[in-house]
Amino acid sequence: MSILRFHLNDRPIEDAEVPPTTTLLNYLRQRAHLTGTKEGCAEGDCGACTVVVLDAETDPAAPRFRAVNACLMFVPMVQGRRVYTIEGLRQNGALHPAQAAMVERLGSQCGYCTPGVVMAAFEACYREDLHEPWQLDDQMCGNLCRCTGYRPIRDAVHMVAGTCPEDLFKRRRAEATPAALEFVRASAGRCYMQPTSLAALWAAIAERPQARLVCGGTDLALLVTQRYQDLPELIALEGVPELRGVGRAADGWFEIGATTTLTDLEAACMGPLRPLTPLLRILRYFASRQIKHRATVGGNLCNASPIGDLAPALIALGAQVVLRSAAGARTLPLEQFFLAYRKTALQPGEVLAAVRVPEPSPGARMAAYKVSKRRELDISAVAAGLYVETCPEGLVTEVRAAFGGMAATPARARGLEAALRGKPWTEATVEAALPALAGDFKPMTDHRGSAWFRGQVAENLVRGFYLETAATPRPDLPPRPAATVRLEVVP
Amino acid sequence: MTTHVGERVSRVDGRAKVTGKARYAAEHAAPDLVHGFVIGSAVARGTITRIDASQALALPGVLQVFTHENAPRLARGDKRWRDELAPPGSPFRPLQDAEIRWSGQPIALVVADSLELARHAASLVRVEVAPAPHETDLEAHRERAYKPPPHERPSVTPPSRGSADKAFARAPVRVQAEYRVPVEHHNPMEPFATTVVVDEDGTLTVYDKTQGVQNVQSYLTTIFGAEAGEIRVLAPFVGGAFGSGLRPQYQVVLAVLAARQLQRSVRVALTRQQMFTIGHRPTTWQRLSLAATRDGALAAAIHEAVAETSRFEDYSETVVDWTGLMYRCDNVRFAHEVVALDLFTPMDMRAPGAMWGVYALECAMDELAVALAVDPLELRLINYAEHDGNEKRPYSSKELRACYHQAAERFGWSQRDPEPRSMRDGDLLVGWGMATGAWESTQRKASARAVLTADGRLAVASATEDIGTGTYTAMTQIAADALGLPLERVTFKLGDSALASAPVEGGSFTVASVGSAVDAVCRELRSKLLKLAQQLEGSPLARLRPEDVEFIGGLLRARADPSRALTFAEVLHRAGIDHLADEVTTRPSKAHEKYSRYTHSAAFAEVKVDPELGTIRVTRVVTAIAGGRVINPKTAESQVIGSVVWGIGAALQEHSVIDHALGRFITHNLADYHVPVHADVPDIEVILVEERDEIVNALGAKGLGEIGVVAVAPAIANAVWHATGKRIRELPITLDKLL
């Protein structure tokens, strides 16, 4: 039986009692009596509960701070790690630069979102990869504030982001070594197991065949925090090193481990996965940084939501999933992984181990789109991944058009694809093919969009794809619309 | 003389907030604290026929499940349930009967040792209901509209004047349009919560999330039949409220009820979903009919509105009045009615009434400008109201012209091409729109107590609130200036029902009301101190006139000769007293009755619209505010920036969607109820226009909490028209409406 062990503001914590599906937020507020970390929604939408976890496991060569939503983490998810909360930032009574900036720039009004904002800004302080303005928006986007209008917060974060102060926290990060993540708490009918090898994972699954697998838990935790369900048996995948990392297989395909977090995938898309531009596009608007720090590629796909944003882009790129079990491994095209609403092809004893993506053909056109009411931090009304290859004569030789929000699963628009394949890639062909979409999908009407709206948007996305890729086959995101006249920041 | 009023002072409570030390209602500790979890009704109307809590009660650690069957009967009669701000009607009384009035109504409270256990036990309680048909759709039931009885603040809709319908029919240029606005929820970041601490002597200390500790305190003592001394309500920090904390919320009743019954300290915190069961900004239908002569002068204005209220209270807001006071017009007709629906009573939400009424008026003015082929700003100037046509009184001050000019110039309004779809940025359509805003400036009776101690420190207190608005800071500044003290020697205490009485914090009247009391009590101390100083034997200040003595840095000093000085401490010490205290109550002056008192604003907005996808981005907002004297430009600007972002939310995002089949809000979380996020926020420039006003109060401050939001949504809606040529008359303007 494991004891929950972690460092809370550099103080060692040991707890043999706490039920493992206790959220870190409730642990902090109710048990540790650290009420600086706030509950605003208990479902990862507001960021008031943001704390920072030091992660040296993903890349031992480059430990990093990760701002995460404490409300969506079960306590074993910090096993062996260092957790920092708002109460732990002051050093010898002096405010941390992230705190001082918030006071100076009046980033706090009612103060309830403030601790979460400060913790997100704290991560920003120590980031060394902040090069573009959108990254700061992305860093802070997961923190809702209802008072300040965000400008004062932005001004405060601008003051400190990337400054990497020479302090205790920087030293802690430099000294960090991979934590012992193993956690096993099991009794009759109940367990929470976090194995740290593939062999131990197979053993755990064999012992608890009914257990649910958790890989990040940003959706699963909602069952506890919103539906008040009891999750008696859980096996967490994030401790298994074999499921981790991004690389290139011997056959030249890109391989993305299932436990790769979306922030790590995003970073890889700016590095080794650079050819996969549609992924980078979709990750930009995927979710808040706090969510992306915990959500994983495997978790997102296995959740099999019809509006999961990763699937359309990956399907368009021709991705396969690698399903492993104690008995061996098999691969499937991603679109065949989704069988029905929230139902996948995973067999008992199988886990999604990795996603494989082929190197796109050099001349291919490709892009991904997400249309939602609020651009950031929203659930898609429609998402699309589009990929077109043409031969030198200009005829479409390969086409993959995948959509989310149009059916019970993410799915390819086979009729549309058929209407495009073999035809010259022209605006006339696209217009002639578009009516086929109506046969591919019968979308539903809900508060995110009517069936008519979804159908119209899906068509417009294909039109937009044609136009956008005419100039640039692999477009990056267009820059954020800026004001016509630049104004200085209000002092 | 040092002054702090008017300076960019950082928040005095900033440090407490960035270190996590500021404690909110759910964060106060108590020994043996137990947790209550609210069970809400799943149907919108009906009668509870049976509640079976046996499974929940069987769990070890579950103390009680309170329902209407076992909860004590509290006060009888509507009157005793009416809090300070209750509209006419019969206020909701938690757990007092079997009737269900709206979806989410609290029908039971599970109390257990831990929050998780209470929550789990709540899922085991079986409730049987005999449902009754419900009606939640305003549009479908508009034929049931009636004129609501007068409410306390929007006293009565002003009388119509002239003959608007005839003038409208005769006028050469006319516009008439219907505007629809949705339900919005306040969604402060802190959910409602109450921690009741049962003290050894049986008295209750109630930490509540509220905008009015004394309102809650008197409500609780009345409904529980308690003595005034038995219940004390505290709210030192409130995580936003925006009007949702003006009236006592049901969780405070449930928490106190449980604490009294169990004689245990109890905490009841609402979930974010439950925050959609506590009142909201009402959905409102409006029709504006504006007519003008060819030169643009308003010939007739008719403003009709139908808003929702609950079945049990007649809530109403000031929706239509704005049309009669913002522009000069001799022929005006108003009609304001409500429809009772099976939803909870609506609540004041930032700029209640004006938010929707001015939105419709300002969009209609834009439509009229198009019909007249006149620049929208020019149309406003043509019809500029020098007097309040509703009250037939002059304004105490009105620098709206300066707002228009300064904001238009900063925005570059003169470069606007009036043709819709004429301005582009690459593939994006660019639209520029503007609108006017107004909000009332009031002062209410308020008291403050001040104590100057022998160590030269000043403690001032009043039972007001700081819901994020900066009350702590503003009052500290005002007090420090009145006595010439540095800020760090002044403390201001609030959020305690035992303090000197103050109105609820709302309506943008806190600085005007409580600030006046703080200023007055400190000036009273100043006089006393001077008198004391002059009576001292051999006083260096003897025989000086008050105006010849300055108060500076904790000193009384002769203006003419700085060497003739005494410290505050010296005065008290030599006078043989250890402190000087006073309490003062201030009221609005008689001059109030002769003037109309309003704040004004102008907002200019730029949007960029993707014509293929219908996505709208607000890229720039310039707003100018005339709100009298500004106590603290730093907190004031921040308030206004926050207001502008509220306006963006109202224009483009915020919408509590009701599933009328269920009679329930289905966007009841922050993933589906959209508020603007960090990246939605454009360049925002705030101009605080200089405005002198000696009528409103001694400070000359008119209040800034609400005026910033009023003009923004119509300015954006007008900009969307300018960008696209499409007039979307229903908020929020979402991409599906534009496509």
Side-chain angles (χ1 to χ4, degrees):
Chain A
M1 283 306 115
S2 297
I3 291 175
L4 176 70
R5 282 195 180 87
F6 66 103
H7 277 79
L8 180 53
N9 296 327
D10 287 334
R11 200 164 47 87
I13 299 280
E14 294 199 354
D15 193 321
E17 304 293 319
V18 58
T21 53
T22 304
T23 63
L24 180 60
L25 176 61
N26 280 348
Y27 187 89
L28 294 172
R29 284 175 70 87
Q30 311 288 346
R31 291 177 183 252
H33 302 292
L34 294 181
T35 55
T37 305
K38 306 301 183 197
E39 176 176 323
C41 68
E43 51 186 334
D45 293 327
C46 80
C49 67
T50 302
V51 300
V52 165
V53 176
L54 180 52
D55 168 19
E57 299 76 49
T58 307
D59 182 359
R64 89 229 16 213
F65 291 114
R66 288 183 190 267
V68 295
N69 289 317
C71 72
L72 295 183
M73 292 178 74
F74 300 133
V75 279
M77 292 175 176
V78 296
Q79 176 76 344
R81 292 176 160 153
R82 280 180 188 273
V83 177
Y84 293 98
T85 71
I86 191 74
E87 290 91 348
L89 295 198
R90 277 193 301 167
Q91 298 298 317
N92 306 318
L95 294 183
H96 187 273
Q99 293 172 308
M102 282 285 285
V103 175
E104 192 187 323
R105 303 318 298 251
L106 212 78
S108 176
Q109 281 193 21
C110 83
Y112 200 77
C113 73
T114 303
V117 168
V118 170
M119 296 313 291
F122 174 88
E123 186 199 4
C125 273
Y126 299 94
R127 278 184 73 175
E128 291 168 46
D129 61 342
L130 290 169
H131 308 300
E132 294 181 59
W134 69 263
Q135 289 180 299
L136 267 190
D137 282 339
D138 179 63
Q139 176 74 35
M140 300 310 298
C141 215
N143 294 86
L144 297 187
C145 167
R146 197 74 164 137
C147 297
T148 64
Y150 301 102
R151 292 302 302 227
I153 293 173
R154 180 186 298 191
D155 296 346
V157 176
H158 268 277
M159 284 173 67
V160 297
T163 52
C164 290
E166 294 294 335
D167 60 11
L168 177 85
F169 302 104
K170 194 174 176 185
R171 286 201 299 281
R172 288 268 183 263
R173 186 180 67 174
E175 293 158 1
T177 53
L181 300 182
E182 187 177 32
F183 182 88
V184 179
R185 182 85 64 85
S187 58
R190 304 194 74 81
C191 75
Y192 193 111
M193 299 199 257
Q194 183 158 277
T196 50
S197 72
L198 209 47
L201 173 64
W202 304 138
I205 291 175
E207 186 192 323
R208 301 285 177 146
Q210 303 302 319
R212 292 186 75 145
L213 303 179
V214 51
C215 191
T218 51
D219 212 55
L220 189 77
L222 298 179
L223 297 178
V224 173
T225 68
Q226 298 300 313
R227 302 213 178 155
Y228 318 133
Q229 284 184 19
D230 185 26
L231 300 177
E233 295 187 312
L234 288 173
I235 297 173
L237 302 182
E238 68 182 285
V240 180
E242 292 91 335
L243 304 179
R244 206 177 280 159
V246 171
R248 205 132 191 190
D251 59 2
W253 284 46
F254 297 107
E255 215 163 84
I256 305 162
T259 65
T260 304
T261 66
L262 299 184
T263 41
D264 289 340
L265 181 61
E266 195 172 20
C269 285
M270 291 185 272
L273 302 187
R274 195 70 190 87
L276 307 181
T277 44
L279 279 185
L280 185 58
R281 271 173 78 119
I282 209 72
L283 286 165
R284 178 88 61 90
Y285 297 137
F286 199 99
S288 69
R289 184 157 177 92
Q290 287 92 326
I291 296 282
K292 288 193 282 189
H293 263 323
R294 288 293 309 160
T296 61
V297 173
N300 186 260
L301 296 177
C302 290
N303 200 31
S305 165
I307 42 180
D309 283 336
L310 218 41
L314 281 170
I315 292 172
L317 288 167
Q320 297 177 341
V321 285
V322 180
L323 310 182
R324 289 179 78 164
S325 66
R330 59 180 178 132
T331 59
L332 273 183
L334 178 55
E335 62 263 34
Q336 290 175 25
F337 180 66
F338 304 111
L339 301 182
Y341 179 72
R342 290 197 176 248
K343 189 169 173 0
T344 71
L346 279 175
Q347 295 292 317
E350 261 184 342
V351 301
L352 191 158
V355 176
R356 286 164 45 81
V357 188
E359 166 104 43
S361 140
R365 292 170 166 79
M366 53 192 188
Y369 300 91
K370 168 173 178 164
V371 179
S372 53
K373 284 195 178 172
R374 182 170 65 190
R375 192 178 57 174
E376 281 82 8
L377 248 63
D378 197 5
I379 294 160
S380 293
V382 178
L386 299 162
Y387 180 94
V388 169
E389 280 178 34
T390 50
C391 63
E393 293 72 38
L395 304 179
V396 175
T397 52
E398 177 66 281
V399 51
R400 288 186 293 265
F403 288 85
M406 296 292 286
T409 64
R412 286 176 73 166
R414 298 285 183 183
L416 175 77
E417 292 176 2
L420 293 170
R421 199 169 285 117
K423 307 269 169 47
W425 179 244
T426 62
E427 198 164 355
T429 305
V430 170
E431 285 300 329
L434 282 177
L437 265 177
D440 286 325
F441 300 118
K442 294 279 172 275
M444 63 185 270
T445 290
D446 66 11
H447 62 277
R448 298 195 181 98
S450 64
W452 172 84
F453 171 72
R454 287 193 154 106
Q456 188 65 48
V457 165
E459 282 188 23
N460 286 4
L461 287 176
V462 180
R463 287 191 182 99
F465 173 73
Y466 176 82
L467 294 172
E468 194 180 11
T469 56
T472 328
R474 300 175 186 197
D476 276 333
L477 277 176
R480 183 182 301 283
T484 310
V485 182
R486 280 298 304 181
L487 298 169
E488 66 274 30
V489 170
V490 177
Chain B
M1 177 163 171
T2 33
T3 56
H4 302 100
V5 169
E7 290 300 305
R8 306 185 66 83
V9 175
S10 286
R11 206 165 262 283
V12 296
D13 49 343
R15 194 179 172 92
K17 285 175 172 171
V18 299
T19 52
K21 288 213 153 105
R23 279 186 190 269
Y24 298 80
E27 297 169 354
H28 294 273
D32 300 327
L33 181 78
V34 291
H35 298 261
F37 191 82
V38 177
I39 299 177
S41 163
V43 304
R45 195 175 184 188
T47 309
I48 303 165
T49 53
R50 188 162 170 267
I51 296 188
D52 176 6
S54 54
Q55 270 185 283
L57 287 165
L59 293 176
V62 174
L63 277 74
Q64 182 56 290
V65 178
F66 291 102
T67 69
H68 69 283
E69 290 171 348
N70 63 6
R73 290 293 84 113
L74 304 179
R76 289 178 195 284
D78 292 336
K79 195 163 166 250
R80 295 163 85 183
W81 284 85
R82 252 179 232 140
D83 67 278
E84 210 180 294
L85 286 138
S90 174
F92 171 64
R93 305 158 203 206
L95 308 189
Q96 298 297 297
D97 60 38
E99 194 185 337
I100 291 171
R101 296 161 180 85
W102 78 93
S103 177
Q105 172 188 320
I107 53 173
L109 180 78
V110 182
V111 183
D113 286 344
S114 75
L115 174 63
E116 284 93 342
L117 181 60
R119 209 167 62 180
H120 175 59
S123 71
L124 303 177
V125 175
R126 298 284 159 259
V127 181
E128 288 172 25
V129 175
H134 62 261
E135 295 175 348
T136 53
D137 188 346
L138 178 76
E139 293 276 330
H141 299 285
R142 243 168 59 201
E143 81 285 354
R144 290 206 281 108
Y146 61 94
K147 202 167 174 238
H151 183 182
E152 177 248 349
R153 187 173 42 73
S155 45
V156 207
T157 303
S160 299
R161 58 182 183 261
S163 42
D165 293 276
K166 273 188 201 156
F168 182 78
R170 278 199 306 263
V173 184
R174 289 177 294 193
V175 294
Q176 183 175 67
E178 296 183 9
Y179 299 90
R180 288 171 170 81
V181 288
V183 169
E184 289 183 348
H185 278 86
H186 308 67
N187 276 308
M189 292 315 299
E190 180 201 14
F192 274 87
T194 304
T195 304
V196 181
V197 181
V198 179
D199 299 321
E200 274 173 21
D201 60 358
T203 60
L204 304 182
T205 304
V206 179
Y207 293 94
D208 190 34
K209 176 190 173 85
T210 175
Q211 288 171 253
V213 279
Q214 290 178 330
N215 187 25
V216 171
Q217 197 265 351
S218 74
Y219 170 80
L220 291 174
T221 50
T222 310
I223 64 170
F224 284 100
E227 296 296 320
E230 283 178 59
I231 298 176
R232 180 178 173 197
V233 179
L234 296 170
F237 292 101
V238 174
F242 312 108
S244 61
L246 288 170
R247 299 185 66 190
Q249 292 289 6
Y250 62 70
Q251 94 287 339
V252 72
V253 180
L254 296 175
V256 170
L257 184 151
R260 282 169 64 101
Q261 291 302 110
L262 300 170
Q263 284 300 306
R264 291 278 294 267
S265 297
V266 176
R267 175 177 301 151
V268 179
L270 299 190
T271 64
R272 181 57 59 182
Q273 289 205 2
Q274 289 168 342
M275 292 291 285
F276 288 79
T277 68
I278 57 163
H280 50 268
R281 194 197 293 281
T283 184
T284 304
W285 169 93
Q286 296 177 80
R287 182 163 58 205
L288 256 293
S289 312
L290 299 181
T293 57
R294 297 229 180 265
D295 59 5
L298 275 174
I302 304 167
H303 195 159
E304 301 159 279
V306 180
E308 53 152 325
T309 186
S310 66
R311 296 263 192 193
F312 47 96
E313 285 176 311
D314 286 312
Y315 175 85
S316 62
E317 328 187 301
T318 310
V319 179
V320 297
D321 308 30
W322 310 99
T323 293
L325 82 94
M326 283 172 61
Y327 299 107
R328 190 180 58 236
C329 184
D330 295 330
N331 300 298
V332 184
R333 182 165 67 77
F334 305 106
H336 180 239
E337 296 183 315
V338 294
V339 176
L341 298 175
D342 297 302
L343 295 167
F344 194 33
T345 309
M347 277 193 299
D348 283 349
M349 177 165 161
R350 204 172 205 175
M355 187 73 183
W356 291 155
V358 174
Y359 152 72
L361 169 64
E362 287 299 288
C363 289
M365 284 294 280
D366 202 65
E367 301 202 37
L368 183 64
V370 174
L372 285 160
V374 167
D375 179 83
L377 173 55
E378 184 58 30
L379 180 66
R380 270 106 177 152
L381 291 169
I382 291 170
N383 292 289
Y384 195 84
E386 300 289 354
H387 292 78
D388 172 357
N390 286 351
E391 301 286 342
K392 315 248 180 299
R393 293 190 297 206
Y395 289 107
S396 63
S397 60
K398 181 174 177 177
E399 293 294 342
L400 177 58
R401 250 194 208 97
C403 293
Y404 286 140
H405 290 147
Q406 292 180 28
E409 191 180 314
R410 284 298 293 196
F411 189 82
W413 183 254
S414 61
Q415 296 158 45
R416 177 178 182 264
D417 182 332
E419 272 305 299
R421 300 181 76 92
S422 61
M423 293 166 62
R424 282 183 181 259
D425 173 12
D427 294 335
L428 302 176
L429 299 165
V430 177
W432 286 5
M434 61 83 57
T436 315
W439 183 250
E440 60 191 6
S441 170
T442 55
Q443 181 188 351
R444 298 203 174 184
K445 182 182 155 191
S447 308
R449 183 177 166 77
V451 181
L452 183 69
T453 43
D455 57 359
R457 291 184 167 274
L458 176 68
V460 188
S462 178
T464 181
E465 266 314 323
D466 188 333
I467 57 172
T469 42
T471 313
Y472 276 117
T473 312
M475 297 306 147
T476 304
Q477 290 174 265
I478 292 168
D481 274 12
L483 272 165
L485 283 170
L487 288 178
E488 54 277 11
R489 284 175 47 191
V490 180
T491 54
F492 183 73
K493 202 171 169 213
L494 52 68
D496 179 345
S497 61
L499 301 176
S501 64
V504 295
E505 198 205 21
S508 298
F509 52 63
T510 299
V511 166
S513 309
V514 181
S516 293
V518 167
D519 184 55
V521 75
C522 292
R523 288 184 188 282
E524 202 54 46
L525 283 193
R526 186 183 163 116
S527 307
K528 282 188 178 178
L529 197 60
L530 177 59
K531 226 176 253 167
L532 218 50
Q534 292 186 319
Q535 285 163 359
L536 296 177
E537 215 182 296
S539 169
L541 305 171
R543 285 185 308 281
L544 285 174
R545 290 174 309 172
E547 55 271 32
D548 294 332
V549 180
E550 60 183 353
F551 284 64
I552 185 163
L555 284 178
L556 298 89
R557 193 165 76 181
R559 281 186 203 278
D561 178 4
S563 70
R564 290 165 65 186
L566 286 168
T567 67
F568 292 2
E570 263 179 295
V571 174
L572 294 185
H573 180 72
R574 284 177 55 189
I577 53 177
D578 61 358
H579 71 276
L580 210 51
D582 207 342
E583 183 171 325
V584 170
T585 301
T586 47
R587 294 175 177 80
S589 73
K590 287 249 184 291
H592 270 210
E593 290 156 23
K594 294 188 209 142
Y595 294 90
S596 277
R597 302 162 318 278
Y598 286 90
T599 51
H600 294 91
S601 69
F604 292 78
E606 176 186 83
V607 300
K608 295 192 179 174
V609 180
D610 182 326
E612 294 287 331
L613 298 175
T615 49
I616 308 164
R617 307 286 296 174
V618 177
T619 47
R620 193 153 64 96
V621 176
V622 177
T623 187
I625 310 284
R629 187 172 174 210
V630 175
I631 303 296
N632 184 341
K634 198 170 187 174
T635 52
E637 277 166 13
S638 188
Q639 274 271 328
V640 176
I641 292 171
S643 298
V644 168
V645 172
W646 267 59
I648 295 172
L652 302 181
Q653 297 180 342
E654 296 189 35
H655 186 186
S656 295
V657 179
I658 306 177
D659 180 334
H660 293 298
L662 297 168
R664 183 189 306 163
F665 295 111
I666 52 169
T667 50
H668 55 181
N669 55 58
L670 292 173
D672 288 319
Y673 184 90
H674 293 160
V675 299
V677 301
H678 195 87
D680 290 324
V681 174
D683 288 323
I684 297 169
E685 188 173 3
V686 176
I687 302 166
L688 299 171
V689 169
E690 194 171 323
E691 185 176 66
R692 289 180 171 278
D693 194 322
E694 287 167 5
I695 307 293
V696 282
N697 52 63
L699 295 166
K702 291 165 95 176
L704 293 168
E706 274 145 316
I707 183 59
V709 73
V710 178
V712 179
I716 291 169
N718 294 338
V720 170
W721 171 81
H722 184 237
T724 64
K726 285 186 188 161
R727 192 65 81 170
I728 310 296
R729 300 186 184 89
E730 183 181 3
L731 295 184
I733 303 172
T734 46
L735 58 194
D736 47 337
K737 292 174 188 156
L738 214 49
L739 204 58

